[in-house]
């Protein structure tokens, strides 16, 4: 049974930091690209960051570049999202997801991702 379990969300003031974790089980972690997406109230789910199978390639949406860092620990089957300098517009439910991809390719499209977590709420107050 595949499981992606996010943790680390919460309430933080603008300018603060949070570290999200996503623990994966039930599939071969190293064969999948891992991504983070977010969905704010009334908006569609959107891409935040992704990391290739080896961890050598990363990709970020423009609004988080320089503030967020995605990483993965293949020994622990876990992917992380370090979020610094948080802004109120970062408020959303954050989801981790897994996409089967060859080599060190990365995907942004939600349709590429096969498995999804339940999400964790991040709220940034002004």
């Amino acid at each position: 049974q595949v499981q992606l379990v996010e943790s680390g969300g919460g309430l933080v003031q603008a300018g603060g930091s949070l570290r999200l974790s996503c623990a994966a089980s039930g599939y071969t972690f190293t064969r999948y690209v891992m991504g983070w997406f977010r969905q704010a109230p009334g908006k569609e789910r959107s891409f935040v960051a992704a990391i290739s199978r080896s961890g050598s390639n990363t990709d970020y949406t423009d609004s988080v570049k320089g503030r967020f860092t995605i990483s993965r620990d293949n020994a622990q089957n876990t992917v992380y999202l370090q979020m610094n300098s948080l802004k109120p517009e970062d408020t959303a439910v954050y989801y981790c997801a897994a996409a089967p991809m060859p080599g060190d390719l990365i995907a942004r499209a939600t349709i590429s991702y096969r498995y999804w977590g339940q999400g964790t709420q991040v709220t940034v107050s002004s």
Side-chain angles (χ1 to χ4, degrees):
Q1 178 183 1
V2 172
Q3 282 193 310
L4 296 175
V5 180
E6 301 99 334
S7 60
L11 173 64
V12 64
Q13 288 189 330
S17 298
L18 284 174
R19 188 193 196 203
L20 304 184
S21 300
C22 173
S25 61
Y27 70 99
T28 306
F29 185 71
T30 53
R31 292 183 180 176
Y32 285 72
V33 166
M34 297 302 296
W36 286 97
F37 293 77
R38 64 187 178 186
Q39 187 167 17
K43 295 188 177 181
E44 292 186 353
R45 191 171 299 186
S46 64
F47 171 79
V48 176
I51 188 165
S52 63
R53 291 163 52 181
S54 69
S56 61
N57 288 340
T58 57
D59 187 25
Y60 300 90
T61 192
D62 285 347
S63 62
V64 309
K65 284 180 180 177
R67 300 189 297 122
F68 291 11
T69 303
I70 188 171
S71 61
R72 66 189 293 163
D73 184 339
N74 285 345
Q76 298 294 325
N77 288 2
T78 302
V79 62
Y80 304 97
L81 186 68
Q82 177 67 43
M83 305 186 296
N84 299 329
S85 302
L86 282 161
K87 304 175 181 180
E89 51 263 43
D90 295 318
T91 295
V93 177
Y94 283 71
Y95 300 88
C96 72
M101 299 286 289
D104 270 346
L105 298 179
I106 294 178
R108 285 192 170 205
T110 56
I111 196 172
S112 298
Y113 287 78
R114 179 176 297 174
Y115 304 129
W116 292 84
Q118 292 301 306
T120 185
Q121 177 70 46
V122 171
T123 302
V124 184
S125 64
S126 57

